[in-house]
Amino acid sequence: MKTMRERVFGSQVCKWVENFIAALREMPSNVDHLKVPEPLTHKVVREIVASARRAQDLVLLLDYDGTLVPLVSAPEKAAPDKELQTLLRALAARPRTHVYIVSGRDHEALT
């Protein structure tokens, strides 16, 4: 995690652009099959929620840093607030629902 954090916070925008352009040049030319996802409109969100409610089994993979909690310079400051903790507990208590937090952090840092 420390290495990744150093890379993210230590890189300058010019280096990021250089790496991005290099990665684009390495992509195969036949990427027509790639589709840009639709924006999350209210209609799309309602459809996702309805589908989740109908699911017999539900697996949620939730990203921690930058999604559930804001990105911060000191990892120990990235803590979930009470509202998020309550929501995650409620989701985990739902029958046949499995909630996983995706993170580069070790398990102890998230508990």
Side-chain angles (χ1 to χ4, degrees):
M1 182 69 180
K2 181 181 178 188
T3 303
M4 181 173 59
R5 188 172 58 252
E6 287 173 352
R7 181 175 178 198
V8 169
F9 287 107
S11 295
Q12 296 177 347
V13 69
C14 293
K15 185 65 175 170
W16 281 101
V17 170
E18 181 181 307
N19 290 342
F20 180 73
I21 297 298
L24 284 177
R25 288 187 177 133
E26 292 176 12
M27 290 186 72
S29 60
N30 61 345
V31 291
D32 295 340
H33 64 281
L34 297 178
K35 181 181 176 193
V36 175
E38 295 288 325
L40 283 178
T41 62
H42 290 292
K43 179 182 177 193
V44 171
V45 171
R46 284 192 301 274
E47 289 170 359
I48 292 170
V49 170
S51 178
R53 285 186 175 143
R54 287 190 308 270
Q56 290 183 9
D57 291 292
L58 183 63
V59 176
L60 298 172
L61 304 171
L62 306 171
D63 179 59
Y64 190 73
D65 291 297
T67 304
L68 292 176
V69 297
L71 281 176
V72 292
S73 58
E76 63 275 5
K77 293 181 180 177
D81 59 22
K82 295 293 181 194
E83 184 180 7
L84 176 59
Q85 291 176 15
T86 300
L87 175 62
L88 292 174
R89 282 189 188 98
L91 286 170
R94 184 180 184 270
R96 301 177 70 131
T97 299
H98 309 278
V99 179
Y100 297 93
I101 306 298
V102 179
S103 174
R105 298 168 184 259
D106 58 27
H107 182 263
E108 291 75 31
L110 294 172
T111 56

